[in-house]
Amino acid sequence: MEDWLKELIRYDFEIVNAEDTISKVFPLLDKLDQDKAGAILVMENGKVYGVVREKDLLRTSVLVNPHETKVKSAAIRTGIININDLTLEKVLRRFIEDSTPFVVIRENGKYGVIYINDLLEALKDRLKDKKARDVMNPNVVTIKAHESAAKALALMRTNGIDRLVVVDDNHRVVGVITGKDIIDRIVAPRRRARLGEEKGEKDKTLSIMVESIMSYPPVTAERMDNLADVVDQMLEHKVSSVVIVSKDNTPEGIVTKKDILESLIKEAAPSQLKVELVTRDITLDEFDKEAINKDLDNFMRKFGEFLGESYMFVYIKRHKDVFRALPLIHVRMKLTSERGTFFASGEGWGVEYAIHATLKKLEREILKEKELLHDHKMIRRFYEEVLEF
C-alpha cells in the first residue's frame, strides 16, 4: 500500500439504493458541488453495486421516465480497491476503466473514495515536464453554436463522449457543452417545474440552441503549455477538460482528465501495461478476446519497430442495432508511442470486425506519419548533399 494515497481517501459522498428511481438522483446532483457531481454510489444488499454517472442519465428512457426507471438500470459496475492493495497503478486503472470522477476504496467493510481532482493535485509535480500536446486528443468533436441541444445529445451518444466543443461559423471556439449542461439547464428545471417548484421552465426543451446552455467562456490552452498548468486551470475553473487552440482560436485538440491519467499509468506500469481495454454495454467472451489479441499482435509486429515502446487504449461500446445476430460495435483507439499519439474510431457488426476496421484506420494514420518523416529525411539529405559542395 502507498501511504500517500491513503491520505486522499474521503467520505463525503452520496449513496442511493439500486431499487430507487432515477428521480431521486437528480436532487443529489443539484446538492453536490462540481467536483463530485459526476457520479453517485449505488448500494445493493448493503454492498456497493456500482455508480451512476451523469452521462448515463442522458439515455432516452431515463430522461422520459425518471419516476419509473430504476437506478440499477442506469448504474454501471465499478471495481473496488481494497485498502491493503492501494497503489497508484490500481487507482489509475480504476479511473480509466470505470470513467468515473472517483474510485471506491474498501476498508474493513466500510467505503471511502479518492476524487480525481485530489489525485491530480497530488501528482502535479510529475506533470511539469509534459506539454499539452503530449496528451491532447486532436480528434475534436465540434458543434455549431446555433445548432440544437438535441443534435448535441445525438453527437455525444454516437461518439461515446460527454462533451462537445462549440464553434462559430468561422470555426473559432466559443464554448463547451457537456452532458451536465443538458441535465442542469434542461432536465433538472423541467423536473422542478413539474413538481411545482418553478414556473416558466416547461418550454425549455432539447430544441433550444446550444449557445443557450453551453458553458462559456471556454477554458483554453495552447499545445506547448505545461501540463501542470493545464491541470491548474481544470481545478481552478472546476472543469474536466481544456480545449487546445491555435493562435486564431480554432480548436487543435482537447485534454481531459482521463487523457492525463492515461499518460501517468504508463509511468506507473511501464513494463506490464501494453493494452488497456475499456468496454461499455458488452462483455467480451474468450473468442472476442483472442481475436482482439491476435489483431493487436499483428499490428505491433507490423509497426512495433517504428513506434517503439507503445501503449494502446481501446474503448469498445455496443449499440442496440443488431444485424444477423451481430451487434453494432463502436470502437475508439488511442495509441501513445515514441513517435507520437495516434487516434482512430470506427464501427462494425461484431467486435472482431469493428476492431479490425478501426485498426485499419489507425494504420493509415501511422503510415501518414511515416511518409511525413520520410519526406523530412529526404529534404534534409538533399540539403546536406548540397551544402557539401
Side-chain angles (χ1 to χ4, degrees):
M1 180 179 67
E2 299 181 36
D3 290 337
W4 68 274
L5 285 169
K6 188 174 181 180
E7 296 176 3
L8 301 181
I9 300 175
R10 293 165 61 175
Y11 303 92
D12 52 345
F13 50 85
E14 297 291 337
I15 298 176
V16 293
N17 190 281
E19 297 300 316
D20 288 341
T21 62
I22 291 295
S23 59
K24 293 187 178 181
V25 174
F26 290 123
L28 296 179
L29 292 177
D30 296 338
K31 177 180 176 181
L32 293 172
D33 64 42
Q34 283 184 287
D35 290 340
K36 309 164 193 172
I40 295 172
L41 280 175
V42 179
M43 302 288 287
E44 185 177 49
N45 299 323
K47 297 181 179 179
V48 170
Y49 168 84
V51 302
V52 174
R53 304 171 301 185
E54 287 174 334
K55 57 185 177 183
D56 297 316
L57 299 178
L58 297 177
R59 300 176 189 172
T60 303
S61 61
V62 173
L63 295 176
V64 175
N65 301 306
H67 296 287
E68 299 176 9
T69 306
K70 291 187 177 181
V71 167
K72 188 174 182 178
S73 68
I76 64 160
R77 289 189 178 274
T78 55
I80 300 172
I81 302 175
N82 189 290
I83 189 76
N84 296 323
D85 301 322
L86 190 60
T87 65
L88 178 59
E89 179 189 345
K90 290 183 177 180
V91 171
L92 292 173
R93 283 179 179 272
R94 288 272 59 82
F95 274 122
I96 292 168
E97 292 180 15
D98 297 337
S99 294
T100 56
F102 61 72
V103 296
V104 184
I105 312 297
R106 180 173 53 224
E107 181 179 13
N108 299 325
K110 297 182 179 180
Y111 297 97
V113 296
I114 294 179
Y115 286 105
I116 193 169
N117 284 359
D118 291 340
L119 182 66
L120 287 173
E121 180 69 46
L123 293 172
K124 276 198 307 182
D125 284 345
R126 305 191 187 193
L127 303 174
K128 290 181 177 178
D129 294 330
K130 296 179 182 287
K131 302 295 183 183
R133 68 174 183 181
D134 296 331
V135 303
M136 75 177 190
N137 184 343
N139 296 329
V140 184
V141 182
T142 63
I143 188 170
K144 294 289 182 65
H146 55 75
E147 293 185 292
S148 70
K151 181 171 182 179
L153 187 58
L155 282 172
M156 290 181 196
R157 288 171 175 163
T158 299
N159 291 279
I161 56 180
D162 60 358
R163 72 198 62 243
L164 303 170
V165 175
V166 185
V167 296
D168 62 17
D169 289 334
N170 295 313
H171 206 60
R172 291 189 295 259
V173 177
V174 295
V176 174
I177 183 169
T178 68
K180 177 174 172 53
D181 293 325
I182 293 175
I183 289 176
D184 288 351
R185 297 165 192 176
I186 296 179
V187 180
R190 291 178 70 189
R191 175 186 57 79
R192 288 193 293 266
R194 285 198 299 270
L195 296 176
E197 298 173 21
E198 295 181 8
K199 296 181 180 180
E201 295 284 358
K202 293 183 179 180
D203 293 332
K204 183 175 283 190
T205 68
L206 291 172
S207 63
I208 67 173
M209 290 190 294
V210 164
E211 63 183 359
S212 301
I213 60 172
M214 70 183 184
S215 299
Y216 69 92
V219 181
T220 62
E222 296 185 359
R223 59 190 298 117
M224 293 304 294
D225 285 353
N226 186 282
L227 196 55
D229 295 335
V230 173
V231 169
D232 280 334
Q233 285 212 71
M234 289 178 173
L235 300 180
E236 178 184 351
H237 297 284
K238 295 187 176 182
V239 296
S240 56
S241 63
V242 172
V243 183
I244 307 304
V245 296
S246 60
K247 296 296 183 182
D248 61 357
N249 205 41
T250 56
E252 288 193 328
I254 189 167
V255 174
T256 67
K257 292 176 180 176
K258 187 174 181 180
D259 293 327
I260 297 171
L261 297 185
E262 286 177 353
S263 73
L264 289 167
I265 198 171
K266 295 185 303 181
E267 300 170 3
S271 59
Q272 293 83 18
L273 181 65
K274 293 298 180 184
V275 177
E276 191 76 25
L277 282 174
V278 180
T279 61
R280 171 73 184 278
D281 298 330
I282 186 172
T283 300
L284 300 178
D285 58 28
E286 291 305 315
F287 179 81
D288 289 330
K289 292 178 182 178
E290 183 179 348
I292 291 172
N293 288 333
K294 182 179 179 180
D295 273 348
L296 293 177
D297 285 344
N298 290 336
F299 175 86
M300 292 308 296
R301 278 198 296 270
K302 187 182 297 185
F303 296 105
E305 184 176 349
F306 171 75
L307 294 170
E309 189 173 10
S310 303
Y311 303 86
M312 178 86 81
F313 292 88
V314 183
Y315 172 82
I316 304 172
K317 177 183 178 182
R318 174 176 177 156
H319 290 296
K320 293 182 179 178
D321 302 18
V322 176
F323 178 71
R324 294 181 180 177
L326 291 174
L328 181 61
I329 302 294
H330 175 81
V331 176
R332 293 203 312 271
M333 293 181 177
K334 177 181 179 180
L335 175 67
T336 304
S337 72
E338 295 175 9
R339 293 290 187 177
T341 302
F342 304 88
F343 299 85
S345 62
E347 290 185 340
W349 300 106
V351 172
E352 183 177 3
Y353 182 79
I355 289 287
H356 186 71
T358 308
L359 277 174
K360 285 296 183 184
K361 291 185 177 181
L362 194 63
E363 285 185 15
R364 287 197 289 271
E365 294 302 313
I366 294 170
L367 289 172
K368 288 179 187 177
E369 179 68 13
K370 289 185 72 175
E371 291 172 2
L372 183 63
L373 289 173
H374 180 70
D375 287 344
H376 286 170
K377 288 179 181 178
M378 292 296 291
I379 292 170
R380 186 171 65 249
R381 185 178 300 170
F382 170 77
Y383 282 109
E384 287 173 350
E385 291 174 354
V386 170
L387 290 171
E388 286 181 0
F389 295 97

